[in-house]
Coordinates of all heavy atoms in Angstrom, one line a residue:
V1 N 0.8 -1.2 0.0 CA 0.0 0.0 0.0 C 0.8 1.3 0.1 O 0.7 2.2 -0.7 CB -1.0 0.0 1.2 CG1 -1.6 1.3 1.4 CG2 -1.9 -1.1 1.1
Y2 N 2.0 1.2 0.8 CA 2.7 2.4 0.9 C 3.4 2.7 -0.5 O 3.6 3.7 -0.8 CB 3.9 2.1 1.9 CG 4.2 3.4 2.8 CD1 3.9 3.3 4.3 CD2 4.7 4.5 2.3 CE1 4.0 4.4 5.0 CE2 5.0 5.5 3.2 CZ 4.7 5.4 4.5 OH 5.0 6.5 5.4
A3 N 3.8 1.6 -1.2 CA 4.5 1.8 -2.4 C 3.7 2.6 -3.4 O 4.4 3.3 -4.3 CB 4.9 0.4 -3.0
G4 N 2.5 2.5 -3.4 CA 1.6 3.3 -4.3 C 1.5 4.7 -3.9 O 1.0 5.5 -4.8
W5 N 1.9 5.2 -2.7 CA 1.8 6.5 -2.3 C 3.0 7.2 -2.1 O 3.3 8.4 -2.2 CB 1.0 6.5 -0.9 CG -0.4 6.2 -1.0 CD1 -1.0 5.0 -1.1 CD2 -1.5 7.1 -1.0 NE1 -2.5 5.0 -1.0 CE2 -2.7 6.4 -1.0 CE3 -1.6 8.5 -0.9 CZ2 -4.0 6.9 -1.0 CZ3 -2.9 9.0 -0.8 CH2 -4.1 8.3 -1.0
G6 N 4.2 6.5 -1.8 CA 5.4 7.0 -1.5 C 6.1 7.8 -2.7 O 6.9 8.6 -2.6
L7 N 5.7 7.2 -3.9 CA 6.4 7.7 -5.1 C 5.2 8.1 -6.0 O 4.1 7.7 -6.0 CB 7.2 6.6 -5.8 CG 8.5 6.2 -5.0 CD1 9.1 4.9 -5.4 CD2 9.5 7.3 -5.2
S8 N 5.5 8.9 -7.0 CA 4.5 9.4 -7.8 C 4.1 8.5 -9.1 O 4.8 7.5 -9.3 CB 5.0 10.8 -8.5 OG 5.9 10.6 -9.5
Q9 N 2.9 8.9 -9.7 CA 2.6 8.1 -10.8 C 3.7 8.2 -12.0 O 3.9 7.2 -12.7 CB 1.2 8.6 -11.4 CG 0.1 8.5 -10.5 CD -0.2 9.7 -9.6 OE1 0.7 10.5 -9.4 NE2 -1.5 9.9 -9.3
A10 N 4.3 9.4 -12.0 CA 5.3 9.6 -13.1 C 6.5 8.7 -12.8 O 7.1 8.2 -13.8 CB 5.7 11.1 -13.1
F11 N 6.9 8.5 -11.7 CA 8.1 7.6 -11.3 C 7.8 6.2 -11.8 O 8.6 5.6 -12.4 CB 8.1 7.5 -9.8 CG 9.2 6.7 -9.3 CD1 10.5 7.1 -8.9 CD2 9.0 5.2 -9.1 CE1 11.5 6.4 -8.6 CE2 10.0 4.4 -8.7 CZ 11.2 4.9 -8.3
Y12 N 6.5 5.7 -11.6 CA 6.1 4.4 -12.1 C 6.0 4.4 -13.6 O 6.5 3.5 -14.4 CB 5.0 3.8 -11.5 CG 5.3 3.5 -10.0 CD1 4.8 4.2 -8.9 CD2 6.0 2.3 -9.6 CE1 5.1 3.8 -7.7 CE2 6.3 2.0 -8.3 CZ 5.9 2.8 -7.4 OH 6.1 2.3 -6.0
W13 N 5.5 5.5 -14.1 CA 5.2 5.5 -15.6 C 6.5 5.5 -16.3 O 6.6 4.9 -17.5 CB 4.3 6.8 -15.9 CG 4.0 7.0 -17.4 CD1 4.7 7.8 -18.2 CD2 3.1 6.3 -18.1 NE1 4.2 7.8 -19.5 CE2 3.2 6.7 -19.5 CE3 2.2 5.3 -18.1 CZ2 2.4 6.4 -20.5 CZ3 1.4 4.9 -19.0 CH2 1.5 5.4 -20.3
Q14 N 7.5 6.2 -15.9 CA 8.7 6.3 -16.5 C 9.7 5.1 -16.1 O 10.8 5.0 -16.6 CB 9.4 7.6 -16.2 CG 8.7 8.9 -16.7 CD 9.4 10.1 -16.4 OE1 10.6 10.2 -16.2 NE2 8.5 11.2 -16.2
R15 N 9.2 4.2 -15.4 CA 10.0 3.1 -15.0 C 11.4 3.3 -14.4 O 12.4 2.7 -14.7 CB 10.1 2.1 -16.1 CG 8.8 1.6 -16.8 CD 9.0 0.8 -17.9 NE 7.6 0.3 -18.5 CZ 6.9 -0.8 -18.2 NH1 7.5 -1.7 -17.3 NH2 6.0 -1.1 -18.8
V16 N 11.3 4.3 -13.5 CA 12.6 4.7 -12.8 C 13.1 3.5 -12.0 O 14.4 3.3 -12.0 CB 12.3 6.0 -11.8 CG1 13.7 6.3 -11.1 CG2 11.9 7.1 -12.8
Y17 N 12.3 2.7 -11.6 CA 12.8 1.5 -10.8 C 13.7 0.6 -11.6 O 14.6 0.0 -11.2 CB 11.7 0.7 -10.3 CG 10.6 0.3 -11.3 CD1 10.8 -0.9 -12.0 CD2 9.5 0.9 -11.5 CE1 9.9 -1.4 -12.9 CE2 8.6 0.6 -12.5 CZ 8.7 -0.6 -13.3 OH 7.8 -1.0 -14.1
E18 N 13.5 0.6 -13.0 CA 14.4 -0.2 -13.8 C 15.9 0.4 -13.7 O 16.9 -0.3 -13.8 CB 13.9 -0.2 -15.2 CG 12.6 -1.1 -15.4 CD 12.1 -1.0 -16.8 OE1 12.8 -0.3 -17.6 OE2 11.1 -1.7 -17.0
R19 N 15.9 1.8 -13.8 CA 17.2 2.5 -13.7 C 17.9 2.2 -12.3 O 19.1 2.4 -12.3 CB 17.1 3.9 -14.1 CG 16.5 4.2 -15.4 CD 16.8 5.6 -15.8 NE 16.3 6.7 -15.0 CZ 15.0 7.2 -15.4 NH1 14.3 6.8 -16.2 NH2 14.6 8.2 -14.6
L20 N 17.1 1.9 -11.3 CA 17.6 1.6 -10.1 C 18.1 0.2 -9.9 O 18.6 -0.2 -8.8 CB 16.6 2.0 -9.0 CG 16.2 3.3 -8.9 CD1 15.1 3.6 -8.0 CD2 17.3 4.3 -8.6
G21 N 17.9 -0.7 -11.0 CA 18.4 -2.0 -11.0 C 17.4 -3.1 -10.7 O 17.7 -4.2 -10.4
F22 N 16.1 -2.7 -10.8 CA 15.1 -3.7 -10.6 C 14.2 -4.0 -11.9 O 13.6 -3.0 -12.4 CB 14.0 -3.2 -9.5 CG 14.7 -2.9 -8.2 CD1 15.2 -1.7 -7.9 CD2 14.8 -4.0 -7.3 CE1 15.8 -1.4 -6.5 CE2 15.5 -3.8 -6.1 CZ 16.0 -2.6 -5.8
P23 N 14.5 -5.1 -12.5 CA 14.0 -5.3 -13.9 C 12.5 -5.3 -14.0 O 11.9 -4.9 -15.1 CB 14.4 -6.7 -14.2 CG 15.5 -7.0 -13.2 CD 15.4 -6.2 -12.0
T24 N 11.8 -5.6 -13.0 CA 10.3 -5.7 -13.0 C 9.8 -4.9 -11.7 O 10.4 -4.6 -10.7 CB 9.7 -7.0 -12.8 OG1 9.9 -7.7 -11.6 CG2 10.5 -7.9 -14.0
L25 N 8.5 -4.6 -11.9 CA 7.8 -3.9 -10.8 C 7.8 -4.7 -9.6 O 8.0 -4.2 -8.4 CB 6.3 -3.5 -11.3 CG 5.6 -2.6 -10.3 CD1 6.2 -1.3 -10.0 CD2 4.1 -2.4 -10.9
E26 N 7.6 -6.1 -9.8 CA 7.5 -7.0 -8.6 C 8.9 -7.0 -7.9 O 8.9 -7.0 -6.8 CB 7.1 -8.3 -9.1 CG 7.1 -9.5 -7.9 CD 5.9 -9.2 -7.1 OE1 5.1 -8.3 -7.2 OE2 6.0 -9.8 -5.9
D27 N 10.0 -7.0 -8.7 CA 11.3 -6.9 -8.3 C 11.4 -5.7 -7.3 O 12.2 -5.7 -6.2 CB 12.4 -6.9 -9.1 CG 12.4 -8.2 -10.0 OD1 12.2 -9.4 -9.4 OD2 12.9 -8.2 -11.2
F28 N 10.9 -4.6 -7.7 CA 11.0 -3.3 -6.9 C 10.2 -3.5 -5.7 O 10.7 -3.0 -4.6 CB 10.5 -2.2 -7.7 CG 10.7 -0.8 -7.2 CD1 11.8 -0.3 -6.8 CD2 9.5 0.0 -7.1 CE1 12.0 0.9 -6.1 CE2 9.6 1.3 -6.5 CZ 10.9 1.7 -6.1
L29 N 9.1 -4.0 -5.7 CA 8.2 -4.2 -4.5 C 8.8 -5.1 -3.5 O 8.9 -4.8 -2.4 CB 6.8 -4.6 -4.8 CG 6.0 -3.7 -5.7 CD1 4.8 -4.4 -6.2 CD2 5.7 -2.4 -5.0
T30 N 9.4 -6.2 -3.9 CA 10.0 -7.1 -3.1 C 11.4 -6.8 -2.7 O 11.9 -7.2 -1.5 CB 9.9 -8.6 -3.7 OG1 10.8 -8.6 -5.0 CG2 8.5 -9.0 -3.9
G31 N 12.1 -6.1 -3.5 CA 13.5 -5.7 -3.3 C 13.7 -4.4 -2.5 O 14.6 -4.2 -1.8
V32 N 12.6 -3.5 -2.5 CA 12.8 -2.2 -1.7 C 11.6 -2.1 -0.7 O 11.9 -1.8 0.5 CB 12.6 -1.0 -2.8 CG1 12.6 0.3 -2.0 CG2 13.9 -1.0 -3.7
W33 N 10.4 -2.1 -1.1 CA 9.3 -1.7 -0.2 C 9.1 -2.8 0.9 O 8.8 -2.5 2.2 CB 8.0 -1.5 -1.0 CG 8.1 -0.1 -1.7 CD1 8.5 0.1 -3.0 CD2 7.9 1.1 -1.2 NE1 8.4 1.4 -3.3 CE2 8.2 2.1 -2.3 CE3 7.7 1.5 0.2 CZ2 8.0 3.5 -1.9 CZ3 7.6 2.9 0.3 CH2 7.8 3.9 -0.7
E34 N 9.1 -3.9 0.5 CA 8.8 -5.0 1.6 C 10.0 -4.9 2.6 O 9.7 -5.0 3.8 CB 8.6 -6.4 1.0 CG 7.2 -6.5 0.3 CD 7.0 -7.9 -0.3 OE1 7.7 -8.8 0.1 OE2 6.2 -8.0 -1.1
P35 N 11.2 -5.0 2.2 CA 12.3 -4.9 3.3 C 12.3 -3.7 4.0 O 12.8 -3.6 5.2 CB 13.5 -5.1 2.4 CG 13.1 -5.7 1.1 CD 11.8 -5.3 0.9
N36 N 11.8 -2.6 3.5 CA 11.9 -1.3 4.2 C 11.1 -1.4 5.5 O 11.4 -0.7 6.5 CB 11.2 -0.2 3.3 CG 11.2 1.1 3.8 OD1 12.4 1.7 4.1 ND2 10.1 1.8 4.2

C-alpha cells in the first residue's frame, strides 16, 4: 500500500525502478518496499 503512495505516478510511468536495478515492478516491491 505504501509503495503506491510514497512515489509518484510519473515515477512508475517512467519505470525509474528499472534504472535503479530492478527489472520488474515485482522486483522493486519485493526488493525495496517489503524490506523497508
Side-chain angles (χ1 to χ4, degrees):
V1 171
Y2 222 114
W5 289 79
L7 293 159
S8 74
Q9 296 98 329
F11 178 96
Y12 288 106
W13 178 256
Q14 296 181 28
R15 299 178 181 269
V16 176
Y17 54 86
E18 293 180 355
R19 301 202 295 269
L20 298 175
F22 300 94
T24 69
L25 188 58
E26 182 66 15
D27 290 331
F28 185 56
L29 295 174
T30 59
V32 172
W33 285 99
E34 291 181 17
N36 187 60

